[in-house]
Amino acid sequence: MAPSTDRNQFLKVSEGQPFRLTALQYLAQAMQDKDAQLPLILDEGVPTGAFGALPSSGQWPPTQSSLDFTEDFSPASLEHCRGNWFLAESNPALLKELVEEEVRKGFVAKFEGTEEDAKRQWPQGTAIGKLNIVMAEGRDPRLVLDSTICGLNPAVHLPERVSLPNVSDVQRTFLHDDCYAQLHALSLDFKAAHKCCKVHPADQGSLLLRCIHALLCDFPHRAWLYVDDLLALLRASDKDLAAALVVALLAALNALISWKKAQFSQEVTWCGWTIRTDAETIELRELKLQKLREQLAALQQRSKVQRKELEGVLGLLNWATSLSKHMRPFMAPLYKDLHSCKGTLHSISPGMWGSFLDSLDKNAKLTRTPAGTWLPRNAQLLEVGSLKISCKADVPLVPPSHKHQWLRLADPHRSEVHLRHESKFVLSWLQHCFSHEQPRSLRTAPRMHCYSAADAFADTHRMGIGGWISTSDSFLWFSGIFSAEEVRKQWPQLQGSLQPYIGCFESLAQLALAQCSWQLLRSKQIRFVLPTASDNTSAESGLNKLFSTAEPLGTFLRLAATWAHLHRVQFEVEHLAGEKNVWADKLSRGSTAFLQHRSADKVEITLAQLASASHCVTLHDHSFKWPQPLLDAQHAMLK
């Protein structure tokens, strides 16, 4: 790889980090990696991104087309915090011990001087965060630094949008027709990864992972890296050699591996999930589940909760529902409470009115704190006195009176969040859902081989849905027009004209199409993915993600998610231009003449059936002719 390079230079470890960067650089060049210059940047030291642009790796999509750093960066945005968080302050002896350990390991260096000396040494800006101690059951206490409270993290500009893997990415690799139980798992954890790297862990880790993929090019494998947690699935026949190569590479690069966390087995734990490759199942760890249950129960007891507490629970819920997407729509009320801040009254003197106006952007949001006031930065102006404000144009140019003026501001950074009754119900329901856990299959559901599309239309007094599905041996279609009274009988919240709710009806049409597909396949498949098409972007995005905070669309997504979970159907909606969605458009408007020759293939859809989201049981007399596939399946079960 580098025959002319001096051995000592090749194996050199640069000061301030543990990796053999020269070896890593030659390896990256041999792989023709896009980010081959990363080892050089690591050797020199990477900027924080608070005072200038971070170098782009070229591996991730950019966050925006260009970053503008021409705006003045005020050092006043960075703060020097006094004291530490509660656990650190209440355990001074342990805090001192942990800090000394960090100094001894070389992760922390003591600065000999005052705060003023530090400002002179780093004139761009200095920040002092708060320390805290993390105490988790079964783990040693560890020291963490909060750099958000001092304003450093919010000031950092990342040029790329990094995507981290989760268990759904692992599941996607277990195809329906793969050979069963042919994999062995290797899980490695890098020791003190955040402290060893001079750069963001996602950039450092991505290069190591690409080296591992290149190393195992002759061995069928799958590998993921979540910050510093590596998971590799290796073919059982050559698992020992492949695992030895991975460990040898990491050792050659002097990557610090936490051997006590290393796992090489058919059952490993990765990112809080227990993965069994012999049974091809996955389940949540009990410790993580118990933590989630306790946090859900704690939130239900109070109407006001801390913002960080709610954010923490939502983070856990997003992680826990990685393989349970049907639960995501029910989290929408919690997100709505998190981002809908109640206004707080503030008052300013008439003499400050001009400065106050200058600090507002066109949307009536404070871009800065006016000098001489305590108005919160980035707060949204809701009212001036009794006058409702929606944009800056609504704000009076002069003070309404000669007295102090009352302003109602919504501060997005307010520490307290008010939970509505709907959110408390969701918390109770989620706690019940997570009251027990059972293994889930890693196998992905088979994809239905078909063409299908659905559409909807709506005007002031009526709405319609229609769609069709075609397989190699079957064809079904549906069409229905419903009045506003029929719609409001099921969904009374849809008041006024029906046209603004077109996204809801488009989602309803997709649900009706899924019910048609289930009738076709219920005797053939236990679960399946339905590929379909829609010309409505809100329905397409909502059904693929099964999430939206917009109402009443969220209600219809919860309906679709509930039915899909009960019937083990997964939505896979693709966008289809409206001009090409001709058949579904005609059916949604009741124009069925072109399919009259296939009237026997029509499926009757009712709004009550769609709104129930439950299993449908029907009774038939002895003369009813059952579909032949269903009869064949019944005979096969009786043999």
Side-chain angles (χ1 to χ4, degrees), residues 453 455 533-536 540 574-582 585:
D455 201 3
S534 172
D535 56 19
N536 184 272
E540 175 195 357
E574 182 181 350
H575 187 76
L576 178 66
E579 60 185 16
K580 296 183 179 180
N581 199 15
V582 179
D585 180 66

Side-chain angles (χ1 to χ4, degrees), residues 328-329 332-333 538 542 545-551 553-555 557-558:
R328 293 277 174 90
S538 61
K545 295 180 180 178
L546 284 182
F547 183 80
S548 176
T549 56
E551 290 293 343
L553 179 60
T555 299
L557 293 181
R558 288 190 284 274

